Amino acid sequence: MLFKVTAAATFRRSAINARRCLNSRRGLLTLAIETSCDDTSVAIVEKTKKDSGSTAKIHFLENVTADTREHRGIHPIIALESHQDNLANLVQKALNYLPESKTGDGLNLADGTRRRLPDFISATRGPGMRSNLSVGLDTGKALSVAWQRPMVGVHHMQAHLLTPGLVSCLENDAKADPPATTPEFPFLSILVSGGHTTLVQSKGLTDHKILATSEDIAIGEALDKSARDILPESLLQEAKSTMYGKSLEQFVFPNGKADFADYSPPETRGQEVTRRISDWGWSLTTPFANTRTMQFSFSSISSMVGKIIQSNSTNIQMSHAERVDLGREAMRVCFEHLASRTIIALETLRPHNTGKDEINTLVVSGGVAANQFLMKVLTSFLEVRGFGHMKILAPPPYLCTDNAAMIGWAGIEMFEAGFRSDLSCRPLRKWTLDPKADDGGILGPGGWIKE
């Protein structure tokens, strides 16, 4: 019992001292771990307050993605084994990038240098694959106990939508002119990845309302499935990962933005739902074309692509030009469906979009946010539908996909707000953002400690 009391008191002192470090401008330093899916990632992230605003620095960031190309998609067991093989080595490597200690205390490394201990540990708690999450979360707990530092179990999707704040502070640290500003609440977020497609209204750090989500598969999965059918076998063999949607983008838009510079969005709902028949005789139907239902659906798109490829053995006979056209059309339908629901949400919110509740920012994050054609479609839709004033923020590609830097930043934001996790917290396979959901959103599950 004495140990428990002493340990609890030590953790409380560590949490208080860590926040004092930020207030005293020494900076708040965290070691962050991400293992929610097939990416093993470790980062060292620091936030410092200055007169000109907060700045951020990523001292270390490295990812290892499980090689599941043989299975043409994510394989849970291989992904788990990849975390087990790589996480400890990444943590060991990251220690060499901790800032040097200037006070004489800290962590002694084998090379004789003394490094500053992180003020706390950040680790993804969910949502994700429970076994995979456990590898990272348990490692975070072990470091927390060994170093007697607090820990924050981070919500993976919250980390994605907070990433533009990290980017703006990184730009401030690089002395951007003019200085970048962190997106202010409230704002809308589109979280698009291989596992998620969600439209979120964010009013505060832990106050997020789900406006629409996919009831079948995520947009990233639809693009990956379409790519597996459309891409020539030689390109599938050459792919360095199972992110085939990225390979599809490179295949159908080899010249990048120049290939879709003349894209024109439908200016009305009537134009939006008009069926488009290609020169090859096939067409893809837009999901929920005739309704304003606040819901996403992408499974039908990849299914239609598969049927077109398979019809009359066209998977062998289909020309390069037709494959390119089909790939572009699949992306267009996916992205216009996403943009359509976003416009409907903005139109619904417009009567309340005044004063402190005014929404002027759209955050786009997740792996699919790196797709430049998606950004073109969203920008064009907003311009022709009366929302050209909206500012679209998307992280650079290396921060769009799953990474520990975003986990570290979300951990810092939560820690600054006075939250940390009890060492009894467990990984969560499902975990919503919305406080009105059955699980209570970010703060709903047990294991939170509020200082």
Side-chain angles (χ1 to χ4, degrees), residues 186-322:
F187 56 79
L188 287 192
S189 296
I190 302 177
L191 304 178
V192 280
S193 67
H196 302 274
T197 308
T198 309
L199 179 62
V200 186
Q201 179 185 8
S202 297
K203 296 182 179 181
L205 181 62
T206 60
D207 186 2
H208 309 280
K209 181 180 180 181
I210 305 299
L211 301 179
T213 190
S214 178
E215 296 301 319
D216 41 55
I217 66 175
I219 188 172
E221 184 178 349
L223 292 173
D224 287 343
K225 285 184 174 180
S226 297
R228 286 198 293 268
D229 287 327
I230 295 171
L231 291 174
E233 184 64 27
S234 59
L235 290 183
L236 289 173
Q237 294 289 348
E238 293 172 5
K240 296 181 180 180
S241 73
T242 58
M243 296 174 63
Y244 298 116
K246 181 178 180 179
S247 299
L248 181 63
E249 180 187 9
Q250 296 168 345
F251 175 69
V252 301
F253 299 122
N255 300 311
K257 295 180 180 180
D259 284 331
F260 51 78
D262 59 350
Y263 166 79
S264 297
E267 297 184 9
T268 65
R269 281 281 293 161
Q271 294 178 9
E272 186 180 317
V273 302
T274 300
R275 186 183 181 191
R276 302 187 187 185
I277 300 177
S278 72
D279 294 338
W280 313 96
W282 43 255
S283 65
L284 300 181
T285 303
T286 303
F288 301 133
N290 298 311
T291 76
R292 291 174 64 87
T293 302
M294 286 304 295
Q295 182 177 326
F296 297 118
S297 176
F298 297 98
S299 61
S300 63
I301 300 173
S302 55
S303 296
M304 286 186 286
V305 168
K307 290 177 181 178
I308 292 169
I309 290 287
Q310 293 169 9
S311 64
N312 301 318
S313 299
T314 54
N315 57 326
I316 297 175
Q317 301 173 8
M318 183 173 280
S319 67
H320 176 87
E322 187 174 359

Side-chain angles (χ1 to χ4, degrees), residues 130-150:
R130 187 177 285 114
S131 297
N132 297 14
L133 289 165
S134 293
V135 177
L137 193 64
D138 288 347
T139 300
K141 290 180 183 181
L143 293 173
S144 174
V145 172
W147 292 340
Q148 288 296 284
R149 291 295 193 263

Side-chain angles (χ1 to χ4, degrees), residues 18 21 26-31 44-47 57 59 97-99 116-121 412:
C21 289
R26 171 191 170 207
L28 196 56
L29 186 72
T30 186
L31 183 146
I44 304 289
V45 183
E46 184 174 17
K47 179 180 181 180
K57 185 172 184 179
H59 294 278
Y97 293 83
L98 288 166
R116 180 178 150 202
L117 275 175
D119 298 304
F120 69 100
I121 312 300
I412 288 174

Side-chain angles (χ1 to χ4, degrees), residues 411-432:
I412 288 174
E413 294 281 279
M414 291 295 287
F415 195 80
E416 279 188 273
F419 295 100
R420 62 181 177 86
S421 298
D422 188 87
L423 293 179
S424 65
C425 71
R426 291 176 292 180
L428 300 168
R429 184 175 69 87
K430 293 184 177 181
W431 191 8
T432 66

Side-chain angles (χ1 to χ4, degrees), residues 7 38 47 54 136 160 192 328 333 347 376 390 411:
D38 62 339
K47 179 180 181 180
S54 296
H160 270 304
V192 280
R328 291 183 178 185
V333 174
E347 289 173 346
K376 173 68 174 181
M390 293 282 292

